[in-house]
Amino acid sequence: MDPIMMLVIAAIIAAIILVEFNKQQNTKPGDNGHISADVQQLYLLKAAEHKIEIIEDLQKNSGIVSNATVNNIEEELTYLTSAFEKGDIPLKEFNLKLDSLLNNLDNTSLAQAS
């Protein structure tokens, strides 16, 4: 009976150790929220870069758009870029304003083409 009692006590101790280990694993703080926020910021930054490239390409390749419109767009793009670099506007707002600028450029070029 003595060896059986030793096995029961060992099993109880092993169970307690496993439960404590499981509690520690479950209570560890996860970085999932931080990682997903970083990925979103990188995605927004890449999207902004792509929008700027499209705006610059449309300005260079479009002979339809007037010089006044091109100058206004260049001024607005310069202002937005410097404001973003200074931290005056957040990345989401920067992307929204680039969308608006891109839409204005597309609408202007389409209106002047017809």
Side-chain angles (χ1 to χ4, degrees), residues 7-54:
L7 287 174
V8 170
I9 292 173
I12 291 172
I13 292 172
I16 292 172
I17 291 172
L18 287 174
V19 167
E20 290 298 318
F21 179 74
N22 191 25
K23 283 182 185 177
Q24 287 178 353
Q25 292 296 325
N26 289 339
T27 59
K28 282 187 178 177
D31 285 340
N32 293 340
H34 182 65
I35 291 171
S36 64
D38 287 345
V39 170
Q40 183 182 17
Q41 292 294 320
L42 288 174
Y43 174 75
L44 287 173
L45 190 59
K46 188 65 177 173
E49 289 174 359
H50 184 68
K51 290 172 191 173
I52 291 171
E53 289 174 3
I54 290 173

